[in-house]
Amino acid sequence: MTSLLDEQAAHLLRRAAFGPTPESLAEVRRLGTTGWIDRQLQPSRIPDGRCDQVLARLPLAGATPGTVRSRLPRHSYEAFGQLGRAAVARAIWSTRQLYESAVAFWSNHLHVTAPSSGVWDTRCDYDAQVVRRHALGRFADMLKASARHPAMLTYLDQRDSVRSSPNENYARELLELHTVGLAYKESDVVAAARLLTGLSVSSRGTYAYLSSQHATGPVQILGFRHPNGSANGESAALAFLDHLARHPATADRLARKLCVRYVADDPPAALVARLAKVYRDHDTAIAPVLRALFTSPEFAASTGRKLRTPFEDLTAAVRALGLGPERSGVRALDALYNALVSAGNAPFRWNAPNGFPDTASLWASPAAFLLRCNLHLNLATGWYPNQLTRPADLLRSLVPAMPRTHGALVDALALRLIGTRLPAAHTTAVLSVAGRRVSSPVGGAVGADAPYLIALVLDAPAFQLR
């Protein structure tokens, strides 16, 4: 039987991380839940050597626009590819798991599709300078950084917004997706589009404020009032962004979205309200909100209320099996990334500006489940990708002391890979594939059946849960 502490640790690591490993479970046991959270909220203090070695093979994943332009032909997709593969590597092998989870959340919130036209040279810098820099900082700072980055300004057409013809695309998504949600009126979009004219991109592809293109005149938007009389309206735009970041509707919306990500598809209203207050009380700081979320009774009681996305299933499976990065090159990362493309959940590849949905309805289908099953088998057998480093005897690495019966073996595998035993009927079904019964003796070796038993345990409904 697993202890209550182990169950709580596994639940935390399924949500705040990309799946438990023996090492991360031991760390939570040693530090306690609060101690682990506090340590993870200071990622710069956590060594991450193995992941850093992999990322060194993807030099463009965090490169500046100038570096990308100097190394690649115009509109090349190579930087996009490196960025996506870096996201996969970080989720699997980084020791800064809560930070990487927060990065994934905010990247999805302030979404810029990759690949997408026009941001071939700036999208990697957006990831580094907007999302990764501010993911555990203040949302107000991240929002302003996003609003002044050429990737966002290009993606949502703000660079084409001029005083004679304000483009409303960025203004609308800023309100509806990035901040207050549907609390705005059409007149707010029109006024915001006027106020934001001037935020643009230079001929060199860098952020520039173009005073000559700023539309002046008083504005009133969701309680924000400004005379907007100067051609240099950058300070007014930044003040407006601060106002949006601190708006009660933004606090409520971000709190609810964080709860949907980490607690339940239909989150508890009381928790949403408390987190919104924490957000407001700490002037849009993100870390206090996450600490309050993960230490809440609602989070502790939410086991089984979230479904893993294909991305989370893949990363959790690699972590659970103890598979390491290839010794050189990125062919295994290519294969993992392409598997996620097939599953419709490769990092950054959601086409619309609202980011990937985070509820079960999109990801729970027979076709999606079949893709997961095939991936589990490929990983367990080492068929694909075969470049990942793996134990010489995968089964023995998962179950060092071999049980006497096949039923006990499946129990041991389930406890190691999922953290709980399978229902009796599921155990029987797993063993039927190998022509075994619960009482069948294991004997000297499981042999060729082992990868199939491992994969079938990963196919269990309990593993699909975040």
Side-chain angles (χ1 to χ4, degrees):
M1 295 292 289
T2 56
S3 68
L4 177 60
L5 177 60
D6 285 345
E7 290 174 0
Q8 292 172 338
H11 173 53
L12 177 64
L13 293 168
R14 284 193 296 267
R15 298 287 177 85
F18 289 96
T21 64
E23 296 77 15
S24 61
L25 285 166
E27 185 179 38
V28 178
R29 293 189 201 105
R30 178 172 57 86
L31 298 175
T33 297
T34 302
W36 184 86
I37 293 167
D38 287 342
R39 182 171 187 264
Q40 287 285 315
L41 288 174
Q42 301 179 75
S44 63
R45 298 186 179 185
I46 302 174
D48 208 15
R50 181 167 72 161
C51 189
D52 289 342
Q53 290 177 2
V54 179
L55 296 175
R57 306 169 199 169
L58 301 164
L60 298 180
T64 65
T67 297
V68 175
R69 288 193 290 269
S70 69
R71 296 187 183 182
L72 297 178
R74 188 172 178 81
H75 297 302
S76 167
Y77 274 27
E78 174 61 24
F80 293 134
Q82 291 195 24
L83 179 64
R85 286 152 180 78
V88 175
R90 285 167 164 144
I92 297 172
W93 294 300
S94 177
T95 53
R96 301 164 181 170
Q97 284 283 292
L98 178 52
Y99 170 64
E100 294 302 337
S101 176
V103 165
F105 174 86
W106 292 113
S107 184
N108 204 50
H109 181 70
L110 297 175
H111 180 58
V112 174
T113 300
S116 61
S117 177
V119 299
W120 69 278
D121 54 344
T122 58
R123 183 59 179 83
C124 293
D125 187 74
Y126 180 84
D127 183 72
Q129 299 303 321
V130 176
V131 181
R132 300 188 67 80
R133 173 171 287 191
H134 298 289
L136 295 177
R138 293 173 66 250
F139 178 68
D141 295 334
M142 182 159 44
L143 184 68
K144 288 182 288 188
S146 173
R148 290 183 290 175
H149 197 282
M152 180 63 77
L153 295 172
T154 300
Y155 178 61
L156 292 181
D157 305 317
Q158 179 61 28
R159 68 186 299 169
D160 299 322
S161 186
V162 296
R163 65 179 184 176
S164 60
S165 181
N167 188 300
E168 296 177 3
N169 195 21
Y170 175 64
R172 186 178 303 280
E173 307 301 11
L174 172 67
L175 298 177
E176 184 169 331
L177 299 181
H178 300 171
T179 58
V180 298
L182 295 175
Y184 67 89
K185 297 181 293 186
E186 196 61 26
S187 59
D188 294 320
V189 175
V190 174
R194 289 180 51 249
L195 180 63
L196 295 170
T197 51
L199 298 175
S200 193
V201 181
S202 73
S203 58
R204 300 186 305 277
T206 58
Y207 168 73
Y209 191 82
L210 306 182
S211 299
S212 62
Q213 297 302 330
H214 177 59
T216 57
V219 292
Q220 295 186 33
I221 314 162
L222 294 165
F224 177 81
R225 292 175 173 81
H226 199 282
N228 187 33
S230 171
N232 187 353
E234 185 178 28
S235 61
L238 295 177
F240 174 55
L241 292 163
D242 272 327
H243 174 80
L244 290 178
R246 296 187 175 103
H247 197 284
T250 300
D252 292 344
R253 185 164 180 276
L254 293 180
R256 188 180 194 285
K257 197 168 182 180
L258 283 165
C259 286
V260 168
R261 168 61 181 84
Y262 291 112
V263 181
D265 288 2
D266 185 14
L271 178 60
V272 172
R274 291 204 312 277
L275 296 184
K277 185 177 187 303
V278 172
Y279 174 88
R280 295 193 303 270
D281 289 347
H282 289 83
D283 194 25
T284 81
I286 294 163
V289 179
L290 292 175
R291 184 181 290 107
L293 188 157
F294 291 123
T295 57
S296 69
E298 291 91 342
F299 174 77
S302 68
T303 302
R305 297 181 62 189
K306 288 294 298 182
L307 180 74
R308 279 176 170 152
T309 64
F311 179 86
E312 292 165 341
D313 180 86
L314 179 148
T315 55
V318 177
R319 287 170 62 79
L321 294 174
L323 306 180
E326 57 203 301
R327 292 180 174 83
S328 63
V330 293
R331 291 181 64 187
L333 279 174
D334 290 344
L336 294 174
Y337 180 82
N338 289 333
L340 290 169
V341 172
S342 297
N345 196 207
F348 319 118
R349 287 181 72 109
W350 187 254
N351 287 330
N354 59 345
F356 284 106
D358 199 19
T359 54
S361 57
L362 182 70
W363 308 114
S365 71
F369 180 64
L370 180 60
L371 285 172
R372 296 181 192 221
C373 294
N374 290 336
L375 175 66
H376 297 160
L377 184 59
N378 282 329
L379 291 173
T381 57
W383 291 339
Y384 181 83
N386 60 12
Q387 298 88 3
L388 292 172
T389 58
R390 53 196 298 114
D393 188 331
L394 181 59
L395 180 63
R396 288 284 184 177
S397 74
L398 299 173
V399 185
M402 195 59 56
R404 293 183 178 181
T405 67
H406 278 80
L409 174 58
V410 172
D411 284 346
L413 280 171
L415 284 170
R416 169 63 176 79
L417 295 172
I418 305 176
T420 185
R421 289 181 175 85
L422 303 183
H426 291 189
T427 299
T428 300
V430 167
L431 290 171
S432 70
V433 174
R436 307 291 182 178
R437 296 182 178 180
V438 170
S439 59
S440 299
V442 170
V446 180
D449 293 340
Y452 296 92
L453 296 179
I454 292 168
L456 286 164
V457 169
L458 293 176
D459 295 344
F463 188 77
Q464 310 308 309
L465 298 175
R466 180 193 294 166

